[in-house]
Amino acid sequence: MFLIKDSPEQRQNKIRSFLTGEPVVAMLLAAADFEWTVRRAISRFAHKTGNDPGPKFERVSGLKTYCECWAMVATPGFARLEEVVQDWGSLVKSFDLRHQLIHGRQGTTGANYARAHVEAILAASSAVVKYCLDQGEPIYGKKLPSRKNLR
């Protein structure tokens, strides 16, 4: 669906294109985009700092674990993930909707309701991308170094 060479804007536009006809798909793709973005950020920072998040990173599940892995690779002066994503509360609510949809507790959602959640998730992804760029660690446009080099 997405390629490493895709720009953040291309990815987000593709996700938004599903809002009209398939709002659930837009929700799930937005959540996947955020997780992809955060995982790449953690990998870039781990390589830069030499701090390997270890086996927890392989089994990461949920926002709390992403925050823990982010903290593991951080160096003094790094912002916490909850600080990078300025509207953390909206991201948590949006991921709650994602969980309800993916686990079948909620079957569908309307486009207008989904739009606010999709935009919250995409804003969070954009904030992570910007933070990485500000740290000199772009996460789009090139392959990541192997994690084997950290061990």
Side-chain angles (χ1 to χ4, degrees):
M1 176 117 227
F2 298 117
L3 303 172
I4 292 171
K5 68 179 182 167
D6 291 345
S7 72
E9 295 79 18
Q10 288 172 311
R11 290 172 70 105
Q12 291 190 2
N13 288 338
K14 191 170 211 174
I15 292 166
R16 285 183 183 106
S17 74
F18 285 94
L19 277 168
T20 305
E22 297 286 342
V24 170
V25 172
M27 274 295 306
L28 300 180
L29 289 175
D33 177 68
F34 177 78
E35 293 187 74
W36 183 92
T37 300
V38 171
R39 288 186 73 85
R40 287 186 65 86
I42 291 168
S43 292
R44 293 291 298 177
F45 290 142
H47 191 265
K48 179 180 181 177
T49 64
N51 299 334
D52 187 359
K56 178 177 262 192
F57 188 59
E58 299 303 324
R59 297 182 312 275
V60 70
S61 177
L63 295 177
K64 180 181 177 194
T65 313
Y66 281 118
C67 290
E68 292 168 1
C69 288
W70 181 282
M72 289 175 168
V73 301
T75 58
F78 262 46
R80 294 177 320 134
L81 182 56
E82 303 95 311
E83 296 167 340
V84 171
V85 177
Q86 293 187 359
D87 194 356
W88 187 258
S90 290
L91 180 64
V92 169
K93 288 178 186 175
S94 297
F95 261 75
D96 286 344
L97 176 57
R98 174 253 180 228
H99 296 325
Q100 290 177 32
L101 291 167
I102 202 76
H103 297 294
R105 287 188 299 258
Q106 183 170 331
T108 192
T109 184
N112 288 336
Y113 187 68
R115 184 175 316 280
H117 293 288
V118 166
E119 291 302 332
I121 296 170
L122 295 180
S125 294
S126 294
V128 172
V129 170
K130 182 183 181 317
Y131 185 78
C132 291
L133 284 173
D134 291 348
Q135 299 300 314
E137 292 297 326
I139 57 175
Y140 278 88
K142 63 181 185 178
K143 285 185 160 183
L144 293 175
S146 170
R147 287 192 62 230
K148 286 187 251 181
N149 295 341
L150 291 173
R151 296 186 177 126

